[in-house]
Amino acid sequence: MKLILFGNIETWNDAVSFLANHRPDVQIVGLCSLDLGPYADSNATVTLRQALALFKDGLIDGILNSNGENPYYFQLLEELGFHPIYTMPSYLLQQELDGSLLSKEPYIYPYLEVKPELMQLEFHLADHCNLNCKGCTHFSNLVTEPVFADITQFQKDIKRLSELFSHIRHFYLLGGEPFLNPDIHTFIAAVKASFPYTQIIIVTNGLLLLSIQPAVIDMLRKHQAHLSISDYNCLDHDKITRFVREHQLSADLRIEKEEFYKFLNPKGDSDGSAIFEQCSRKNCTFLDKGRIAACCLPFVVKYFNQSIPEMEGIDLYQPDLTGHQIQRQLIRPMELCRYCSTDVPYTWEISKPPFEKEDWCV
Ligand code: SF4
Ligand code: SF4
């Protein structure tokens, strides 16, 4: 079988060497990407237009998307007229590394014939926070009482997701402040039980990091969970760095003050498609009590309460729902996108009640 390998340049090598080892009958006759960058003049690369011409002339059997979790790529390849489009599950590379790769598998599949992968999923372990950033995009500074995730509902939803998706590439546990949840290790275990190859990323402001319990530290290490620490100028960098090193944790400490953005238009008269197109949060797929959406807004805007519709999102328990249907919906604008606007940046600061709606509204 002759295929063109399509995907981000950095995925090419792994895919080519995996296929050479496990599918020597598959011949990769060209490497293709939306942007060929420094390889544009290489004999090994082809543009999408050239790949399509090869396909239409019957010189290749199809195209293989090496970023198998990217629904935008599948949509583009479909619209251009490639058929079949093949996918290679991204967890195969991890299975190859840890020795759990099953033999006698095809390893590459027509993508509609297998469960798709999700690029990323976000989940709130706590809606509230121990820091009150002005204009928090998750509205955590408006959550006046502790609001924790329910582990029973979470376990049920994760199990349901595993029926719909073969893999979730990046699983973000955040909030609010995720370390406020005393059961964080139980949530980590639940994620890994259903999605063993997912990369868990815990997004934290770091304020509780030095006091986390040994059981949590063990769980972080055991599952190689990554700590993404947003430092809003409140942390002792040396202590945090030492702590991370001593406990052999994976972490990045973003010490620059982050830029914050206003982005809401409560009038709801924005061009939803145009706003969605340029939205930097549209791939922050969010899970909340049996529903998922392209971002957290449908589930957290209730804390803002300015007549913006709530609870839009895909019901995971609809009968006959497939992962592919979810993927297609996630890359389309929601009704709610009309209530967003072009981001307007401002400098981060702590805020105190009473909060101004202008902290969020453009
Ligand atoms: S630390 Fe993060 S979650 Fe907490 S208020 Fe600030 S931006 Fe929001
Ligand atoms: S509602 Fe739409 S435009 Fe607004 S943040 Fe979410 S995905 Fe982006």
Side-chain angles (χ1 to χ4, degrees), residues 116-131:
E117 302 180 30
L118 258 187
M119 275 197 287
Q120 70 172 61
L121 189 64
E122 296 189 355
F123 182 74
H124 268 194
L125 289 184
D127 286 358
H128 56 299
C129 192
N130 49 358
L131 199 60

Side-chain angles (χ1 to χ4, degrees), residues 98-227:
D98 72 13
S100 64
L101 192 69
L102 297 172
S103 58
K104 300 198 177 99
E105 292 290 310
Y107 305 123
I108 60 174
Y109 307 86
Y111 95 103
L112 285 176
E113 290 180 17
V114 287
K115 289 190 278 187
E117 302 180 30
L118 258 187
M119 275 197 287
Q120 70 172 61
L121 189 64
E122 296 189 355
F123 182 74
H124 268 194
L125 289 184
D127 286 358
H128 56 299
C129 192
N130 49 358
L131 199 60
N132 283 319
C133 303
K134 177 179 160 182
C136 170
T137 51
H138 289 222
F139 306 102
S140 294
N141 57 334
L142 300 180
V143 185
T144 49
E145 300 290 330
V147 180
F148 291 113
D150 180 282
I151 184 66
T152 308
Q153 172 83 50
F154 182 69
Q155 284 164 330
K156 182 176 166 216
D157 292 347
I158 288 295
K159 186 168 171 296
R160 174 65 181 143
L161 282 169
S162 70
E163 292 164 5
L164 297 161
F165 295 98
S166 63
H167 179 52
I168 297 174
R169 198 171 172 83
H170 294 118
F171 205 117
Y172 289 84
L173 295 173
L174 36 74
E177 172 47 49
F179 282 114
L180 285 169
N181 191 320
D183 298 322
I184 183 169
H185 51 301
T186 317
F187 285 87
I188 294 172
V191 172
K192 282 292 185 171
S194 288
F195 293 101
Y197 293 104
T198 194
Q199 171 65 63
I200 292 181
I201 298 164
I202 298 173
V203 183
T204 172
N205 59 34
L207 292 175
L208 295 172
L209 201 57
L210 301 179
S211 55
I212 55 177
Q213 297 301 308
V216 176
I217 297 174
D218 288 347
M219 190 60 88
L220 294 174
R221 222 174 13 229
K222 176 177 172 194
H223 293 301
Q224 296 168 338
H226 181 78
L227 298 172

Side-chain angles (χ1 to χ4, degrees), residues 4 29-33 36 39-60 63 80 82:
I4 294 283
V29 296
L31 302 168
C32 183
S33 180
L36 290 170
Y39 304 103
D41 294 328
S42 162
N43 288 337
T45 60
V46 291
T47 63
L48 262 179
R49 190 189 293 266
Q50 289 166 331
L52 193 60
L54 289 170
F55 178 65
K56 289 200 165 148
D57 290 344
L59 297 172
I60 57 170
I63 195 158
L80 286 172
F82 285 104

